Amino acid sequence: MKILMVCLGNICRSPMADGLMQKKINENQLNASVDSAGTIGIHAGDSPDSRMMQTSKSFGVSIEHLRARQFIQNDFEQFDIIFAMDKSNLSNILKLAKSEKDKQKVHLILNMSHIGKNLEVPDPYFGGEQGFIDVYNLLDEATDSILEKLKNNDL
Ligand code: 4NP
């Protein structure tokens, strides 16, 4: 199972989701991989935001090695499932879909932990430290739900 996490810049939310999911895949020795991307390319090649790296490190999750890249149409071929952090990301990803099969791969990540609620992971970029902690907690919960589905072959 190949999982892609997508946000706007690929420097805050989706690297956090990527790092958390990778840690849980490793700990559970699951046959799955995870990557992340942003719908915009202005941060391509950059490390994650230093505030997100600091929060991540404080919770024991490694994201410093990740580098930002832009989501591309070919990602629909490369990944089995694509998780968007918010509705804007979801709609920008869907604009690049070529088929119904592509569209069915895309989900709001918080629908994994809060089924059917269509909740969003708030963009922490222009806010304070608490925003980054909130992102971590929301994504920890969502990746726990993804992990359970992976274990049950139900993703
Ligand atoms: P992310 O946060 O989508 O969670 O990576 C943002 C990063 C950069 C910008 C906006 C959001 N930006 O406007 O540069």
Side-chain angles (χ1 to χ4, degrees):
M1 178 63 61
K2 296 175 80 175
I3 301 167
L4 184 65
M5 306 294 193
V6 182
C7 62
L8 178 63
N10 192 208
I11 55 169
C12 298
R13 294 165 292 175
S14 61
M16 188 68 255
D18 185 343
L20 267 165
M21 196 71 248
Q22 187 66 61
K23 184 174 187 221
K24 292 171 191 188
I25 288 169
N26 293 350
E27 285 170 353
N28 290 274
Q29 300 182 342
L30 294 174
N31 181 22
S33 66
V34 61
D35 190 14
S36 62
T39 58
I40 58 171
I42 56 167
H43 292 286
D46 290 356
S47 296
D49 186 286
S50 57
R51 299 163 295 174
M52 195 77 258
M53 287 200 280
Q54 198 175 347
T55 302
S56 174
K57 197 172 177 185
S58 75
F59 287 104
V61 183
S62 158
I63 61 169
E64 319 78 53
H65 59 288
L66 298 174
R67 295 293 176 269
R69 72 169 179 88
Q70 188 166 13
F71 179 85
I72 54 171
Q73 201 166 46
N74 185 248
D75 285 321
F76 285 110
E77 263 65 65
Q78 299 302 317
F79 293 90
D80 300 303
I81 192 157
I82 298 167
F83 290 114
M85 300 296 128
D86 64 30
K87 291 173 192 169
S88 164
N89 309 150
L90 183 85
S91 124
N92 286 321
I93 297 165
L94 290 175
K95 279 180 199 157
L96 292 176
K98 298 178 298 306
S99 64
E100 204 47 45
K101 185 171 166 237
D102 285 354
K103 288 182 186 168
Q104 282 170 6
K105 291 186 175 186
V106 192
H107 306 270
L108 279 174
I109 192 167
L110 292 189
N111 275 345
M112 304 303 287
S113 44
H114 302 82
I115 299 161
K117 296 251 167 73
N118 294 330
L119 298 178
E120 305 182 290
V121 182
D123 185 344
Y125 191 67
F126 296 105
E129 186 189 348
Q130 188 59 45
F132 289 86
I133 297 170
D134 293 345
V135 166
Y136 174 84
N137 286 322
L138 286 167
L139 291 175
D140 189 30
E141 207 180 4
T143 52
D144 271 348
S145 302
I146 296 170
L147 176 67
E148 284 316 303
K149 284 187 175 284
L150 272 175
K151 283 184 184 171
N152 296 325
N153 267 325
D154 186 29
L155 198 56

